[in-house]
Amino acid sequence: MVVENYMQEAIELSVKNVTDNNGGPFGAVVVKDGKIIARGYNQVTSNNDPTAHAEVVAIREACKILGSFQLTNCEIYTSCEPCPMCLGAIYWARPSRVYYANTKEDAAAINFDDDFIYKELAKPIQYRELQFKQVMRNEAQEAFKIWKNKTDKIEY
């Protein structure tokens, strides 16, 4: 298959998702060794899960199938440029490449505007709209110390 075929599958998932009333107009597929191994579509409203974006759903499914927390030598095809959450998930999953169709500006034009989040992330934490307050750092350091010294950990 070629890039366009994989992208067409992601786009078809996004269209079907809207017509089936399952959530927003977003679809994604994960490809490994020339085969689609996982599909995802936006399920935010149908599952009452703000993290159930197409890319995250596809990543979760692919990782289950591969038995791995990383998408080594995989590609992700998504019907829209990933939002900040999905972008973070994609970086954590470490695929080799990401292809996207619609842009974040296209998404903003239909009221899926992630610009607010991008702007918030650029601000120092004390100036963000959502208030953050650090508490009990010293106590929380215990888990980090154990992790740092653990010899049988699985790094990621």
Side-chain angles (χ1 to χ4, degrees):
M1 288 184 113
V2 295
V3 169
E4 289 78 10
N5 296 98
Y6 302 127
M7 184 58 75
Q8 186 61 45
E9 179 72 18
I11 292 168
E12 287 173 8
L13 286 168
S14 71
V15 171
K16 184 174 182 350
N17 202 47
V18 174
T19 58
D20 289 352
N21 290 319
N22 286 323
F26 306 100
V29 297
V30 177
V31 174
K32 183 172 177 90
D33 299 328
K35 294 177 75 173
I36 294 175
I37 62 165
R39 291 168 173 80
Y41 54 87
N42 183 285
Q43 299 172 37
V44 170
T45 57
S46 58
N47 287 349
N48 294 318
D49 180 353
T51 69
H53 290 201
E55 297 92 335
V56 172
V57 171
I59 288 168
R60 288 174 181 162
E61 183 64 24
C63 287
K64 281 182 196 173
I65 289 167
L66 295 173
S68 174
F69 54 85
Q70 294 186 338
L71 298 179
T72 305
N73 298 319
C74 292
E75 296 175 334
I76 296 175
Y77 294 78
T78 179
S79 65
C80 187
E81 185 176 357
C83 75
M85 178 186 68
C86 292
L87 190 59
I90 288 166
Y91 271 97
W92 278 113
R94 294 177 173 84
S96 57
R97 182 170 289 139
V98 177
Y99 296 90
Y100 66 94
N102 290 314
T103 66
K104 61 184 178 183
E105 291 81 14
D106 295 329
I110 59 166
N111 296 321
F112 286 93
D113 192 356
D114 302 324
D115 191 51
F116 168 75
I117 299 171
Y118 283 111
K119 287 179 180 174
E120 283 290 292
L121 291 173
K123 293 179 185 176
I125 200 164
Q126 67 270 24
Y127 296 113
R128 294 182 184 162
E129 293 291 321
L130 182 59
Q131 292 183 2
F132 284 77
K133 181 174 174 59
Q134 185 177 27
V135 295
M136 299 183 68
R137 179 177 181 264
N138 290 337
E139 293 82 353
Q141 287 289 305
E142 181 64 22
F144 281 19
K145 289 174 189 171
I146 294 169
W147 176 261
K148 181 179 179 183
N149 296 319
K150 190 170 177 57
T151 58
D152 62 343
K153 62 188 169 199
I154 298 173
E155 299 269 0
Y156 63 98

